[in-house]
Amino acid sequence: MLLKILVGFLTGLRALAAGTDTTQQRLPPPPPLLLVSFDGFRADYLLRFPMPNLKLLYSQGVLVEQLKNVFITKTFPNHYTLVTGLYAESHGILSSHMYDPVSHKLFSPMKDTDPTWWSKAEPLWLTARKSGYKTATTMWPGSDVINRTATHFLPYNPDVTFRERLGNVTKWMQGDGNEQGVMFAVLYWEEPDRSGHIFGPENTTAMGKALKEVDDNIGLLMLELKRANLWGRINIIVTSDHGMAQCSTERIIRLDDCLHPDNYTVVDLSPVAAIIPRKDPKAIYALLSKCHAHMTAYLKKDIPDRLHYKNNKRIQQILLIADEGWTILQRGSTITKLGDHGYDNSLSSMHPFLAATGPSFRQGYRISSLQSVDIYPLMCHLLSIPPQPNNGTLTQARCLLAAETCGDTMLVIGLVVGAQIALITIIVLFRLLRRRSMPTPRAFQRLEVDDDDDSPLMG
Ligand SMILES: [Zn+2]
């Protein structure tokens, strides 16, 4: 009898599960998602320059005024963070120049297709492919890696114009009679980073021109998506990897003034130097730590936890971090750029922004900040894909979505709590006042005993 009940219960559970599966299959697929990065778009460019097309885009969607990106604030680590939700120490792309002490290989932007560098994390275009979606990448850092590409991809070539890159993305997202449209696509463009390095972010004339071109490209993006009948049907996130700080020939730190170059090997130089000591590391660290008032030296074990930049074999024994706007050089070299990034990710000059629009996003909504590691779980949520393990959370990012009411919920909770506090205060006051108005009870007194009654035996 008991066995029969158990079998019946399990059959029922299986039927319920099958019913759920059928329900899921019947759900319409989520809207496709396009992630666009304009490299080096410092958050306050939005306040300093007109950007009418970008403003039109987020007026119909959401704006995150500052995105707290990951250390080091360089292109490769941050672009990999956007598509993995991991800090650099976890995804293993620690800078644009790296040395691996196990394989003895060197990494640089022009030598980046070896999969061993990227294998600690899975970018979303691979996870989405495994979920059965078609995906596409155009020039995104890390998208040309051997055996780790999207369904469609354009290998990196800086000579390919924005219009051409966009044309490919639009075609892949549209699909045709034979080919299903892409569900997740990423699009990368080198500006305003290129101009920011050459002229510095404080050069209003030059940056105004560069940002006018970026904004024209955003206008083109909107136009092409409308022409392809994708606008309003897909979700679009426009963001960037990092900001830009103003550098100067008057803010130079020369390593060789402190230490002869025979003592160390430089893997990466400025504004965060990765140093391999060739002699006694402690002695070399001692010299470097006193080298310059605008540079901080760390032994690997002492790198602050908040930077999430310690637990990886590709982080070298000594790390030097220059203050904002300072450039680290070796003797003989001169400053070649008036703008740079890579500095501490707590600096607002290093932060980019985020704008998004589409059927899943709220309209005319803005928040002041968000962690860049949170964008990955947001994108997985938008695509209904189970995320890989990551350092982000949906807690704050979900407030950007139309289906969520977290901002309103917080307001309602605030109002209810406020009303309860007010009510309790009124009750307490009322009771206090009532107590005051009541007659004071007489102090306890012993009963006065009549002498006559004291002892009936007397008398
Ligand atoms: Zn960059």
Side-chain angles (χ1 to χ4, degrees):
M1 183 63 186
L2 191 66
L3 189 68
K4 263 189 177 176
I5 293 172
L6 192 65
V7 169
F9 178 66
L10 288 174
T11 313
L13 270 185
R14 214 176 297 143
L16 195 66
T20 313
D21 281 347
T22 316
T23 317
Q24 277 178 352
Q25 279 164 13
R26 274 199 222 111
L27 284 176
L33 174 63
L34 171 61
L35 172 66
V36 187
S37 170
F38 288 96
D39 196 317
F41 196 123
R42 178 172 151 158
D44 70 357
Y45 289 160
L46 266 178
L47 306 173
R48 291 176 50 205
F49 301 99
M51 311 300 296
N53 288 311
L54 181 54
K55 282 173 183 160
L56 181 63
L57 186 143
Y58 68 69
S59 70
Q60 300 169 30
V62 297
L63 174 69
V64 178
E65 290 166 357
Q66 291 215 0
L67 201 60
K68 170 91 183 284
N69 48 355
V70 303
F71 186 79
I72 67 173
T73 51
K74 291 243 178 185
T75 301
F76 273 69
N78 274 283
H79 274 99
Y80 211 36
T81 293
L82 286 170
V83 293
T84 62
L86 293 167
Y87 295 119
E89 68 175 3
S90 301
H91 65 49
I93 302 300
L94 292 143
S95 183
S96 302
H97 293 88
M98 292 186 282
Y99 169 70
D100 189 297
V102 177
S103 64
H104 302 292
K105 287 178 179 173
L106 283 168
F107 176 95
S108 71
M110 289 297 130
K111 212 176 156 193
D112 67 342
T113 56
D114 182 342
T116 52
W117 294 104
W118 305 88
S119 60
K120 282 279 175 275
E122 185 176 275
L124 188 50
W125 59 78
L126 283 188
T127 315
R129 269 190 92 169
K130 288 179 184 170
S131 296
Y133 292 146
K134 290 192 183 297
T135 58
T137 60
T138 41
M139 320 262 170
W140 195 272
S143 63
D144 302 351
V145 177
I146 297 159
N147 294 329
R148 293 170 68 84
T149 56
T151 318
H152 308 280
F153 72 103
L154 276 185
Y156 188 67
N157 177 357
D159 297 333
V160 177
T161 63
F162 183 83
R163 185 184 286 274
E164 287 174 86
R165 297 180 198 194
L166 175 63
N168 278 282
V169 165
T170 312
K171 185 181 73 190
W172 290 327
M173 291 200 92
Q174 263 184 309
D176 56 35
N178 305 318
E179 182 83 35
Q180 194 190 347
V182 158
M183 190 56 105
F184 176 61
V186 294
L187 169 60
Y188 169 82
W189 183 240
E190 288 85 349
E191 287 285 13
D193 180 76
R194 194 156 44 192
S195 299
H197 280 302
I198 298 169
F199 304 107
E202 286 172 13
N203 185 331
T204 305
T205 312
M207 290 316 294
K209 189 167 172 285
L211 285 154
K212 162 86 172 60
E213 284 173 16
V214 166
D215 192 63
D216 287 347
N217 283 334
I218 293 170
L220 187 64
L221 172 86
M222 294 163 77
L223 193 70
E224 283 303 307
L225 291 176
K226 280 174 189 166
R227 200 173 286 169
N229 197 27
L230 291 167
W231 185 260
R233 293 202 302 115
I234 67 167
N235 288 314
I236 305 150
I237 296 175
V238 179
T239 187
S240 183
D241 49 352
H242 52 75
M244 191 68 72
Q246 184 69 36
C247 296
S248 163
T249 50
E250 287 165 13
R251 291 193 291 272
I252 301 288
I253 301 161
R254 289 193 184 277
L255 284 189
D256 301 354
D257 289 350
C258 310
L259 190 62
H260 193 277
D262 288 351
N263 290 292
Y264 62 92
T265 302
V266 169
V267 175
D268 201 13
L269 188 57
S270 192
V272 178
I275 303 284
I276 305 173
R278 287 193 201 148
K279 294 170 185 169
D280 178 17
K282 282 193 177 159
I284 289 171
Y285 164 74
L287 285 171
L288 289 171
S289 62
K290 286 179 283 181
C291 184
H292 201 284
H294 290 284
M295 182 177 80
T296 310
Y298 293 102
L299 283 170
K300 181 173 177 174
K301 66 178 177 58
D302 298 326
I303 298 170
D305 290 340
R306 68 174 181 85
L307 297 175
H308 300 284
Y309 200 81
K310 182 160 36 186
N311 302 307
N312 196 292
K313 64 183 179 186
R314 294 173 192 157
I315 294 169
Q316 307 305 333
Q317 280 175 292
I318 297 174
L319 193 74
L320 310 173
I321 306 178
D323 285 354
E324 182 178 14
W326 286 79
T327 304
I328 304 174
L329 291 179
Q330 289 187 292
R331 189 169 284 161
S333 55
T334 51
I335 192 167
T336 54
K337 39 194 176 183
L338 286 173
D340 209 358
H341 54 89
Y343 301 96
D344 194 322
N345 63 329
S346 64
L347 295 165
S348 62
S349 62
M350 291 298 103
H351 296 165
F353 75 106
L354 179 144
T357 186
S360 305
F361 288 99
R362 298 175 81 160
Q363 286 201 6
Y365 185 72
R366 69 166 71 192
I367 56 174
S368 57
S369 68
L370 186 71
Q371 304 280 329
S372 69
V373 289
D374 294 346
I375 295 171
Y376 171 78
L378 174 70
M379 294 195 296
C380 290
H381 179 78
L382 287 170
L383 292 168
S384 301
I385 292 173
Q388 294 288 306
N390 64 85
N391 298 122
T393 161
L394 256 184
T395 309
Q396 209 191 346
R398 72 184 332 142
C399 298
L400 303 173
L401 301 175
E404 303 285 338
T405 50
C406 58
D408 303 338
T409 308
M410 291 311 289
L411 185 69
V412 170
I413 291 170
L415 285 173
V416 169
V417 171
Q420 279 181 337
I421 291 170
L423 192 65
I424 290 166
T425 312
I426 290 167
I427 291 170
V428 169
L429 280 174
F430 180 73
R431 284 191 177 165
L432 275 174
L433 287 171
R434 220 174 66 157
R435 239 180 236 175
R436 275 196 185 174
S437 61
M438 281 169 79
T440 319
R442 281 173 63 195
F444 176 74
Q445 283 179 332
R446 278 182 76 87
L447 284 173
E448 286 177 18
V449 182
D450 194 333
D451 282 351
D452 293 346
D453 298 330
D454 199 17
S455 173
L457 295 175
M458 297 276 290

